[in-house]
Amino acid sequence: MFKILEGLRVVESSAFVACPLGGMTLAQLGADVIRFDPIRGGIDARRWPITKNGKSLYWVGLNKGKRSLAIDASKPEGQELLGELIAAPGAGKGIFSTNLRADKGWMSYGELKKRREDLIMVNLLGSSDGTSAVDYTVNCAAGFPFVTGNHHAEGPPRPVNHVLPAWDALAGVNLALAILAAERHRRLTGEGQLVRLALSDIAFAITGHLGFIQEAQINQEDRKGYGNYLYGAYGSAFETSDGRWLYIVVVTGYMWKELLKVTGLGDAIGAIAARLDLDFRKEGDRFLASEEISVPIRAWCAQRTLGEIEATFKGTGVCWGPYRTFRQMLAEDPRVSTTNPMFSELEQPGIGPYLVPGSPIDFGAFSREPPRRAPLLGEHTDEILSQDLGLSNSEIGRLRAAGVVAGPVEVS
Amino acid sequence: MFKILEGLRVVESSAFVACPLGGMTLAQLGADVIRFDPIRGGIDARRWPITKNGKSLYWVGLNKGKRSLAIDASKPEGQELLGELIAAPGAGKGIFSTNLRADKGWMSYGELKKRREDLIMVNLLGSSDGTSAVDYTVNCAAGFPFVTGNHHAEGPPRPVNHVLPAWDALAGVNLALAILAAERHRRLTGEGQLVRLALSDIAFAITGHLGFIQEAQINQEDRKGYGNYLYGAYGSAFETSDGRWLYIVVVTGYMWKELLKVTGLGDAIGAIAARLDLDFRKEGDRFLASEEISVPIRAWCAQRTLGEIEATFKGTGVCWGPYRTFRQMLAEDPRVSTTNPMFSELEQPGIGPYLVPGSPIDFGAFSREPPRRAPLLGEHTDEILSQDLGLSNSEIGRLRAAGVVAGPVEVS
């Protein structure tokens, strides 16, 4: 049962997407991650999507493989227990926390460091300037909604949010990365530290790394919205004769040659290049003619079913994929099934058996293991109090009676 | 000049977004990352966005802080040099590579391992089933385009791609995480390994962690498209009297109370709750009434300028943000300027001074350092051959004359 991060222990104070995903990323690689929550559940305990009987699919999705401690952290006794837990001996203990808690109170880095000198604390802020921010408000600020889903021919852009909480997801993986980098440093030097990162910086860093900020600054113009066309190369969405959609993308010369050969559209598209005086061996020129190139390809796709197109493209160098709804993905894509070793079918109490992904990273030194389900709220309260903190049954009973700890609790 | 990942060395064989971002993530934390490319530049050397004089802002954005080696890896002598470089002594040497190269030929894990027993190789595949896939085709498969930008009242959904290459970006950070996890294991055991991950698995894992797969499976229905409304809670986009847009989001009871108080719309929205027989203290009920709640808020925003709204919301508990284009972001947001310690202004040869983000992670054990610019293609060829591989000037001259190595090269 040895896994890549065996021996790493993390206490997680979190809610919503980013911090829970950070902790789960480590938990799915074998770290011991204890998430603590209020005894009636945290602010995200009931978050949608929910099942028809009101169970949060969101919460169980983002907390798989952790141990759950239900504890009233507003009570001094709860704070004392958490302080002890965070400082308890054990290899590589770190802590994640959200927004501002690193600055003040019992859970500040300064207070916790008094308990354990080499503590690693990773703190996620909303905005780098200390104001509150969430994925949706960071997304507004980062420019993408004005180029998403808008086509430049259709007048002034209206914002279109992407539905994927991409900044939260990126923050989650960055949190896990930060823990590992800080633990590497501690292993080399014995030194702990407070690590801080802001969701807004996650977004602005990626926006800058991808050249969007620099394009605005150097070229002094805003990127237009190109709808589903791929900026700077050739890519577009097409509808088939049976009402399905697919995307065809060309990012190499080979993919381009194959597309022309397999569709038989070489002559038609060659005529477009000649008419526009462009050289379609250059991907920038293919981009400039995206709309013209798409006309014959659109007609070609509209005359064929998705199945016929799949059969035609199979085994060729055409880079393409069908669009699928979430249900079509489940029904049609074997990569989203237990034939993919990343997925397992797990029994989640109150929800039933369902498909669950483990870590996407396959470490050759270990055989890939099935993911573990999410805990019930406070499922590990007694185990943590007795095994990790050495409390007796009678002490645990007293804490339960005093409303300091609880669990397992049915959230509803 | 000591940084958190000092002593980690990585050789990167890559192109496009994911692998270069993985290497750059480590480089910006202090690792020594050598990217090698063909002597006329890799497949992504000229990729858009480009400046008006044809320099790729994309390439320099994703390769900051690396050393560049321009080498002909199709020649046996080039392969031998790269093999030596990968196996050269040095703390924590690992290698990234893209698509399938781990399986065969001189750069396979098996061949390279003969040179260095404890090699760590991290290999990114497109699709978990071995077929080719890129961000755009993975995105089609993962369900999001049918819920992005579509409003459920407007008939059958058409796919809307998000413009952010979110899966590539997530893969990049996961690659960096994989290197650190594998290096931790090597530090503990002495053992290297081949680590594999697929872009498709990155996407399907997040889609599953967020509950989309499980919602489709358990509830047997596809999530509808809700346009810019936030699913499961309250959030919406609004236009101001001066033609700007903002997003207001409510993910806590406090944010809700503050929104009603600050806008003075408590009575109007209370009447909506009564009429619909919903309890707006519950976020699910707020979500169900998203359109009704938005009517008075939309009118309130339409009567005010963005500046007036900003002044009204400032210092309150309302969670909101203005939408900005990329140029507005540069012009208006101090978080995207050198007042934010993440950003520096760097001189990039051929492009000029511009704003560049470093790592979003601020490690307390080190003072934050400015990012380093991207190299010219082959800028470090001589340095690497002499310092890392111990070649003499005459040997380097012979390799240059034979067309095995080159640089610095002006890409155009």
Side-chain angles (χ1 to χ4, degrees), chain A residues 17-34:
Chain A
V17 177
C19 274
L21 180 63
M24 193 174 72
T25 299
L26 298 173
Q28 291 204 319
L29 298 177
D32 174 22
V33 178
I34 297 172

Side-chain angles (χ1 to χ4, degrees), chain A residues 45-177:
Chain A
R46 293 156 191 84
R47 201 164 176 78
W48 290 34
I50 54 175
T51 64
K52 285 168 184 170
N53 60 356
K55 299 287 179 194
S56 174
L57 291 165
Y58 176 100
W59 199 91
V60 297
L62 288 163
N63 293 289
K64 296 185 285 275
K66 299 176 187 173
R67 292 197 287 163
S68 173
L69 169 63
I71 188 163
D72 185 344
S74 72
K75 291 191 164 74
E77 210 169 8
Q79 296 170 4
E80 181 60 28
L81 287 167
L82 285 168
E84 270 187 68
L85 183 66
I86 290 163
K93 180 145 291 185
I95 181 168
F96 277 130
S97 75
T98 42
N99 238 0
L100 297 179
R101 292 215 187 162
D103 292 335
K104 50 192 174 190
W106 71 273
M107 222 180 81
S108 70
Y109 177 66
E111 284 302 308
L112 291 174
K113 197 180 171 179
K114 290 178 192 162
R115 295 178 182 264
R116 180 165 174 158
E117 175 63 26
D118 68 349
L119 179 75
I120 293 168
M121 184 165 179
V122 178
N123 183 233
L124 180 68
L125 303 163
S127 179
S128 60
D129 61 12
T131 60
S132 81
V134 295
D135 183 274
Y136 318 96
T137 60
V138 162
N139 188 49
C140 296
F144 289 96
F146 280 129
V147 293
T148 298
N150 281 289
H151 195 280
H152 59 93
E154 293 167 13
R158 296 169 68 91
V160 175
N161 291 358
H162 45 228
V163 169
L164 176 71
W167 310 118
D168 269 347
L170 277 162
V173 189
N174 270 286
L175 285 165
L177 180 76

